[in-house]
Amino acid sequence: MSGKTVFDIFVVGGGINGCGIARDASGRGYSVALAEMNDFASGTSSGATKLIHGGLRYLEHYEFRLVREALMEREVLWAMAPHVIWPLRFVLPFQKGGIRPAWLIRLGLFLYDHLGGRKLLPATKTLDMRRDPASKPLKPIFTKAFEYSDGWVDDARMVVLNARDAADRGATILSRYKVTSARRENGLWQVTVRSNDSRETRTFSARMLVNAAGPWVDQVLAGAVGKNNVHNVRLVQGSHIIVRKKFSDPRAYFFQNPDNRIIFAIPYEGEFTLIGTTDRDYRDDPKDVKISDEEVSYLCNAASEYFQEPVRPEDIVWSYSAVRPLYDDGASKAQEATRDYVLKVETDGGVPLLNVFGGKLTTYRRLAEHALEKISEAIGARGGPWTAGSSLPGGDFAVTAVTKQVQALRASYPFISTVYAERLIRCYGTRAPMVLGKAKSEAELGRLFGGTLYEAEVRYLMEFEWARTAEDILWRRTKQGLFLSREEAAGLEDYLAREAVL
């Protein structure tokens, strides 16, 4: 392939934007190659608060276009991927004399309900916290709360499903290949990539380059492309902590802090609560990002202002941190910088380059459509928009039919538990039987590494989802890292190392 095939598009970056663009373009008939220097979703795309949401707080910054687009996308994405996206109700406790008056919150929620797109998600309502079960884990200082709808997403799975679908539609998808050089030669891009183990270097020719490298977008421009004085993105760090379950209510909480920032407390993987996020400027290399002691204290203190039972650093069972690459609009505070995306085309020498700045999980599909408009203008149109009515791999069932899918899987594989069946449907949807294969008993699933992670699933992830390391599998593909001991995780790593040699 190297040196022979001329691709229409070469995409740099395997986060949600890069994989979304590759999928959309492949579905329209463009020839596409994509390179991700690490694992898919290993950067920003797996470091979010895992919400498909309109962005209620963005209304305060007058980002009405972004909020409206995001609100309209919630149910579109839910229909595309009901296995990895599902609705979630949020409780926003209100206290007199708080940061935002009740009328302002009501106005924001009215706009949230009516800006567009809500058909199946229930509307906002007011709660009497003297009677509602949502008050149980909270301090007894709230008499009123507002409840509204948004959605939850398994972010890393949504990314890899976009990559999988792009590959199924003909795209060449490379994980763990870094773009080391991208130069315009003879009317084409010549893109050189090197494998992480440095054993292989390949060169691809393409009519157009798409730089969707997220926090590394400026590094790609300065390094691989060779541009000078590059500064387009403002890096903002967001960190999250996971603690043992703080409440049994299926709803999430939206907490307002005295500094005007907000955090969420969200039911997570059945037995845990996710608390986040922080917002602070970040100036180091994105690959080195990790939660700071200051952020840990901030999240613990902020949550403890609301929960009767304090959240302490020693309660944390896992944490994660990522850098959001916001388009640098000159905002004075990190939390005020625009969350909207910006697409810019450069045509130096007549060979087009599309740079993708910003974006968020909820709007990735629309970002991809807008990117394809610019691609069509630059190198010629192929098929029209198609993703709105599509399904991501495994998501070809009704949003109300998750329970039916679980029951059907258990009927076909009666030896698996309901808990395991639910997890498989939430990860793989209608592709869950591909994971279990022809197994007629638990023993035929192979080695149990811990939690509900069997060898059959590990092999599926290696074959179909580019998984190579224990981190790929435990923290991005399955979240089973929360349920395996350190020794069990090491056993999985040893198994993968042996498989790589074979």
Side-chain angles (χ1 to χ4, degrees), residues 154-448:
D154 187 329
D155 48 10
R157 289 216 54 75
M158 187 165 72
V159 174
V160 82
L161 292 177
N162 273 272
R164 179 69 264 161
D165 202 49
D168 290 345
R169 295 174 187 276
T172 296
I173 304 293
L174 303 171
S175 71
R176 294 180 167 83
Y177 277 82
K178 182 176 182 178
V179 173
T180 57
S181 173
R183 296 289 188 264
R184 294 175 169 99
E185 294 179 13
N186 301 320
L188 294 172
W189 283 99
Q190 299 299 324
V191 184
T192 302
V193 302
R194 184 179 66 237
S195 62
N196 275 10
D197 59 10
S198 298
R199 292 179 183 175
E200 185 180 20
T201 299
R202 301 168 68 179
T203 299
F204 297 84
S205 299
R207 298 168 61 206
M208 185 166 186
L209 185 70
V210 175
N211 179 12
W216 293 271
V217 65
D218 281 348
Q219 289 187 24
V220 169
L221 285 172
V225 178
K227 291 178 70 71
N228 297 319
N229 302 317
V230 176
H231 180 75
N232 298 286
V233 294
R234 178 176 187 167
L235 301 181
V236 174
Q237 180 177 356
S239 297
H240 299 76
I241 58 175
I242 287 91
V243 299
R244 290 285 173 186
K245 187 160 67 173
K246 298 292 291 183
F247 51 90
S248 56
D249 199 288
R251 292 169 289 184
Y253 292 93
F254 178 121
F255 295 150
Q256 303 177 85
N257 302 331
D259 60 2
N260 275 327
R261 290 152 70 180
I262 61 100
I263 63 166
F264 295 101
I266 302 170
Y268 190 67
E269 296 298 317
E271 298 180 20
F272 305 92
T273 298
L274 184 155
I275 298 171
T277 182
T278 57
D279 265 311
R280 68 175 198 168
D281 284 309
Y282 185 82
R283 292 179 175 83
D284 298 321
D285 193 316
K287 70 178 176 59
D288 298 324
V289 67
K290 63 180 180 179
I291 192 169
S292 65
D293 291 341
E294 178 189 355
E295 288 176 302
V296 168
S297 296
Y298 177 85
L299 292 173
C300 288
N301 293 337
S304 297
E305 287 294 313
Y306 284 83
F307 287 123
Q308 289 192 55
E309 180 185 301
V311 178
R312 301 162 300 180
E314 55 265 34
D315 298 331
I316 298 170
V317 298
W318 186 49
S319 64
Y320 63 91
S321 190
V323 177
R324 291 187 289 271
L326 307 182
Y327 184 69
D328 194 353
D329 61 355
S332 58
K333 296 181 181 178
Q335 61 266 33
E336 292 175 0
T338 181
R339 264 54 175 179
D340 212 343
Y341 53 83
V342 176
L343 307 176
K344 290 191 173 182
V345 175
E346 300 177 12
T347 55
D348 297 351
V351 190
L353 162 65
L354 171 62
N355 293 304
V356 180
F357 306 112
K360 54 188 230 157
L361 289 167
T362 309
T363 54
Y364 92 90
R365 191 196 66 83
R366 290 290 288 136
L367 181 152
E369 287 189 336
H370 289 139
L372 264 295
E373 290 173 7
K374 294 188 177 296
I375 289 168
S376 297
E377 291 170 4
I379 62 173
R382 295 286 175 88
W386 63 277
T387 57
S390 68
S391 297
L392 285 172
D396 50 336
F397 62 93
V399 297
T400 55
V402 175
T403 300
K404 285 184 180 179
Q405 291 295 321
V406 173
Q407 292 169 344
L409 190 65
R410 288 211 68 215
S412 298
Y413 300 89
F415 58 89
I416 67 174
S417 68
T418 300
V419 170
Y420 185 34
E422 287 174 346
R423 185 177 77 75
L424 288 176
I425 294 300
R426 283 300 187 193
C427 280
Y428 309 102
T430 57
R431 292 197 172 191
M434 292 176 63
V435 175
L436 301 175
K438 297 179 180 179
K440 298 283 192 255
S441 67
E442 183 180 347
E444 292 182 22
L445 295 176
R447 177 178 171 182
L448 176 62

